[in-house]
Amino acid sequence: MLLSDFPRVPLAHLPTPLEHLPRLSEHLGGPDIYVKRDDCTGLATGGNKTRKLEFSMAEALQQGADTIVTVGAVQSNHVRQTAAAACKLGLKCEVLLEHRVAHPSEPYAKSGNVLLDRIFGANLREYPSGTDFELAMSDVADEVRSAGRKPYIIPGGASNKVGALGYVNCALELLEQIQDQRLDIAHIVTATGSAGTQGGLIVGLKAMQSNIPLLGIGVNIPQQAQEEKVYALACETAEYIGKPGCVAREDVVANCDYVGEGYGVPTDSMNEAVLMLARYEGLLFDPVYSGKGLAGMIDLIRNGSLSSGNIVFLHTGGSAALFAYVDQLQT
Ligand SMILES: *Cc1c(COP(=O)(O)O)cnc(C)c1O
């Protein structure tokens, strides 16, 4: 599979480490747990969007764009990484911020990722929850064009077939590390949202004929809708890399039982998971994605569903958002 056929700009520190978590594994008394450290991709506190942006930004440059237009929630990690990548590549960044979380606290509205967006000089525009962002982004792109500049639109989470290449690549990297470290891995678990991470990973795994199952823990919408979204993107991505049909519908599995009241709303199990990883392993996770993903993994280990065979948890980053949750996290 020739990912080298696609334009790519180096933005991430790769490969990210694959580390054993001995104290967490012992504490939970189940399988050995490993963490794939995509919180260490290096760009502006790291995270999973950096791998995707290597491909999205390369396409923007190839098309001669000088301005990136993208969208995310107020505490979007994707927006923060995009704003930083734009700076590094000398591009302007127009951001549409969605007020997706009702009644935000002052730190949520001002600190964490959105503070970093401002430091990177992104132009932030605010929109109510439920805006038609496809339309709104094309309006902003028109505005950019009429100012004599050339826009390139990156969808939310950089989750299209271009961005998903970053996670096809991550799957190849991870399989190589599993082999080099002679690990016997029975499950890969990750948080899943806009679908590019899970979609890209499943394409990479299946294209390499791996039979390690991948479980996405949802942070937003119900299971059926999440799986359909991931499957649709996986199919498009598979075709894009010349491996059409390599992913079957049943390869896409999401568990959306750990969302709680909704996207970005803290849950007790997320809170417990964030403290557990901090206090047993010195690792920082986030309240919106990786913390809820971990909460799912921990519960599934405890209830016996993930008790047989070792686990890799893909750490997608996001700890910059912890500061936005200063009033809500119980320590
Ligand atoms: C965006 C994000 C995710 C989800 O990845 P998708 O590709 O959007 O499904 C998980 N964790 C963190 C920290 C994120 O920022």
Side-chain angles (χ1 to χ4, degrees):
M1 181 177 19
L2 289 178
L3 281 181
S4 55
D5 290 350
F6 296 94
R8 181 172 173 189
V9 284
L11 295 171
H13 297 174
L14 302 178
T16 58
L18 176 63
E19 296 173 348
H20 186 214
L21 301 182
R23 283 177 34 78
L24 180 75
S25 304
E26 192 192 344
H27 174 67
L28 291 172
D32 270 305
I33 303 166
Y34 296 80
V35 65
K36 173 68 171 160
R37 298 289 306 273
D38 273 15
D39 57 320
C40 299
T41 50
L43 183 72
T45 77
N48 62 338
K49 304 312 179 306
T50 302
R51 282 187 192 269
K52 302 177 181 185
L53 289 167
E54 289 198 334
F55 292 93
S56 311
M57 287 293 189
E59 193 177 85
L61 293 174
Q62 194 185 43
Q63 293 180 9
D66 56 16
T67 304
I68 302 299
V69 178
T70 199
V71 61
V74 172
Q75 286 299 328
S76 167
N77 301 298
H78 160 70
V79 167
R80 180 245 312 154
Q81 288 162 82
T82 304
C87 289
K88 189 173 162 72
L89 299 170
L91 307 172
K92 289 193 191 306
C93 191
E94 296 288 342
V95 171
L96 291 78
L97 284 184
E98 180 183 12
H99 285 267
R100 208 181 294 169
V101 169
H103 315 299
S105 64
E106 186 163 322
Y108 185 91
K110 293 191 171 160
S111 183
N113 283 303
V114 73
L115 168 64
L116 301 183
D117 299 343
R118 291 212 162 83
I119 289 175
F120 289 120
N123 189 34
L124 307 180
R125 305 152 184 257
E126 318 228 343
Y127 293 79
S129 173
T131 298
D132 177 349
F133 280 101
E134 218 168 302
L135 189 68
M137 286 204 288
S138 100
D139 287 348
V140 171
D142 286 343
E143 187 189 315
V144 167
R145 265 182 226 104
S146 56
R149 294 189 277 131
K150 184 144 199 262
Y152 178 87
I153 295 177
I154 299 181
S159 283
N160 56 10
K161 66 184 180 187
V162 179
L165 295 176
Y167 273 88
V168 175
N169 188 51
C170 178
L172 310 189
E173 186 181 299
L174 177 59
L175 287 172
E176 196 173 310
Q177 287 172 316
I178 289 171
Q179 194 171 38
D180 288 351
Q181 296 183 29
R182 297 173 202 285
L183 304 179
D184 187 11
I185 299 299
H187 301 278
I188 300 170
V189 180
T190 185
T192 183
S194 65
T197 301
Q198 188 178 2
L201 279 176
I202 196 66
V203 170
L205 292 169
K206 289 292 151 187
M208 296 303 287
Q209 273 122 38
S210 166
N211 52 17
I212 305 176
L214 172 64
L215 173 64
I217 308 286
V219 298
N220 198 353
I221 57 179
Q223 179 188 9
Q224 185 73 17
Q226 183 66 28
E227 289 183 350
E228 291 297 338
K229 183 159 123 177
V230 173
Y231 180 59
L233 181 55
C235 291
E236 258 187 81
T237 307
E239 194 160 303
Y240 194 46
I241 65 164
K243 299 269 178 189
C246 71
V247 175
R249 175 62 184 82
E250 60 268 24
D251 297 329
V252 175
V253 182
N255 179 323
C256 299
D257 295 344
Y258 303 91
V259 178
E261 280 174 43
Y263 176 85
V265 181
T267 59
D268 290 343
S269 61
M270 173 282 291
N271 202 114
E272 183 201 11
V274 167
L275 298 194
M276 194 186 291
L277 271 285
R279 293 173 188 185
Y280 280 91
E281 296 288 351
L283 291 175
L284 293 175
F285 285 78
D286 84 285
V288 181
Y289 294 97
S290 60
K292 285 186 179 174
L294 274 176
M297 180 191 76
I298 291 167
D299 188 53
L300 294 169
I301 290 172
R302 283 175 171 159
N303 77 20
S305 316
L306 275 183
S307 55
S308 64
N310 302 325
I311 300 172
V312 171
F313 185 84
L314 171 68
H315 188 339
T316 43
S319 61
L322 284 170
F323 302 98
Y325 283 81
V326 58
D327 296 337
Q328 289 153 81
L329 275 168
Q330 310 290 319
T331 55

